[in-house]
Amino acid sequence: MFSFRSYSKRFSSTVLGILLISALPSLLFGVNFHLQEKVWIYTTYSYKGAPVNRDVFPEIFDKFFYSMTVFFLALIVGLLIALILTFITTMLPRFIQRMIYGFLTVLESFPDLFIVVVLQVCIVYIYKQTGILINFYNNFDDPIYLLPVLVLSIVPTIQLFKLTLLLMREEQHRIYVTVAQSMGLSRFYIILVHVFRNILTSLIQYSKPIIVFMLSNLFIVEYVYNLNGILTLLLYTKGVVFLVTALFIAIPFSVLFEIADNYNVSVKKKTEEDAA
């Protein structure tokens, strides 16, 4: 159950931290932190290097929805691919499952920038071989979705695939699986109908670190592909505008994390009651 009192305490500490970061340039370098006439204008640079002044409002809303669209599409794609691969993997022999799990551990060690560079090289190779050019550079009038979603979904797909494999291994030793097998239900039916439902519930308990990791990756993706998202806006703003931009990101995700935390507490409480 969502607790507004608990959320307000956590959110106040988040706002305080963002406020201190916003005021840091003023404290260290003497930058004027007071409100000015053009405080809601920020400066970016065109591909020719010419400065371009832009209004924060209402442009910040478009940037926010664009970033969140890319973010949640990547999360959904990563989750779907991870579940499909998990289902296929569980049908394979145990030694192949162990090999796949070890391969996932190796993939997790690669840095995010390495994945971005590899995809860039693949795009150039495809263009040279086929003449098909995949648009990988964004501009203000023609936002791109395919490549950012693809890049951003790679790491969470690996993490979710590895996590669901572990959860699947645990669920297969539950009593209800043994009972279902004794009733003559097929392994395919048990995994698809019963096990996957419990895995999806368990994934919510591990959602926070995955979402935080994706947010940090989103910043890299927005910068590399010149996406006009809200995270990139943090690079061009300071002071009050930086504070407002950071709050646009912090508020929805802090609410999401609070709901997930309360859900985890309720699940843990129910588990303890069932055990008792």
Side-chain angles (χ1 to χ4, degrees):
M1 183 178 179
F2 183 82
S3 174
F4 181 79
R5 186 175 180 180
S6 174
Y7 169 73
S8 61
K9 290 181 180 179
R10 298 187 187 185
F11 182 68
S12 59
S13 61
T14 301
V15 173
L16 180 60
I18 295 174
L19 182 61
L20 291 175
I21 295 174
S22 304
L24 198 59
S26 178
L27 296 174
L28 296 179
F29 307 109
V31 178
N32 187 6
F33 189 66
H34 299 289
L35 287 175
Q36 300 176 358
E37 183 179 354
K38 297 183 179 180
V39 68
W40 302 115
I41 295 178
Y42 70 99
T43 303
T44 60
Y45 296 90
S46 66
Y47 68 96
K48 295 182 179 180
V52 179
N53 293 328
R54 296 187 177 276
D55 294 322
V56 174
F57 290 99
E59 197 172 279
I60 191 173
F61 296 104
D62 295 332
K63 291 179 177 294
F64 174 78
F65 286 114
Y66 177 56
S67 293
M68 293 303 100
T69 300
V70 172
F71 180 88
F72 284 105
L73 280 177
L75 181 61
I76 293 172
V77 169
L79 179 60
L80 290 176
I81 295 176
L83 290 176
I84 292 172
L85 291 178
T86 300
F87 180 77
I88 295 173
T89 304
T90 52
M91 297 298 173
L92 299 175
R94 288 294 178 88
F95 76 95
I96 297 181
Q97 293 183 28
R98 288 193 292 267
M99 291 175 59
I100 293 175
Y101 186 84
F103 180 67
L104 292 175
T105 304
V106 173
L107 286 180
E108 277 188 319
S109 63
F110 290 122
D112 305 325
L113 281 177
F114 175 80
I115 297 175
V116 173
V117 171
V118 170
L119 284 176
Q120 297 281 59
V121 173
C122 291
I123 291 172
V124 175
Y125 178 79
I126 292 173
Y127 174 70
K128 287 184 175 180
Q129 296 296 320
T130 64
I132 299 175
L133 178 61
I134 301 175
N135 187 15
F136 62 88
Y137 199 70
N138 194 62
N139 58 61
F140 279 89
D141 300 322
D142 186 22
I144 60 174
Y145 290 93
L146 178 60
L147 198 58
V149 169
L150 176 62
V151 174
L152 189 61
S153 65
I154 291 176
V155 175
T157 297
I158 297 172
Q159 293 176 333
L160 289 168
F161 185 20
K162 186 177 180 181
L163 179 59
T164 50
L165 278 179
L166 289 174
L167 293 173
M168 180 71 72
R169 192 176 300 173
E170 293 178 2
E171 288 294 326
Q172 286 180 336
H173 293 88
R174 303 280 186 181
I175 296 178
Y176 74 89
V177 175
T178 305
V179 173
Q181 289 174 341
S182 65
M183 294 173 60
L185 298 177
S186 65
R187 185 183 179 188
F188 178 88
Y189 179 83
I190 295 172
I191 292 176
L192 189 62
V193 176
H194 298 286
V195 176
F196 264 177
R197 181 179 59 188
N198 294 333
I199 285 179
L200 288 174
T201 303
S202 301
L203 282 177
I204 299 178
Q205 302 179 42
Y206 303 94
S207 60
K208 184 186 290 187
I210 294 175
I211 289 177
V212 171
F213 196 77
M214 284 188 66
L215 278 175
S216 63
N217 286 348
L218 180 60
F219 182 84
I220 297 174
V221 171
E222 286 191 4
Y223 181 79
V224 172
Y225 293 107
N226 192 36
L227 304 185
N228 301 307
I230 194 167
L231 289 176
T232 308
L233 187 60
L234 295 174
L235 292 175
Y236 301 108
T237 58
K238 59 185 177 181
V240 177
V241 181
F242 181 92
L243 174 63
V244 172
T245 305
L247 288 176
F248 258 82
I249 303 170
I251 291 175
F253 281 99
S254 61
V255 172
L256 189 64
F257 291 157
E258 185 66 24
I259 294 173
D261 287 340
N262 282 275
Y263 175 82
N264 293 337
V265 170
S266 63
V267 169
K268 184 177 180 181
K269 185 178 179 180
K270 184 179 179 181
T271 303
E272 292 174 352
E273 291 176 354
D274 293 341

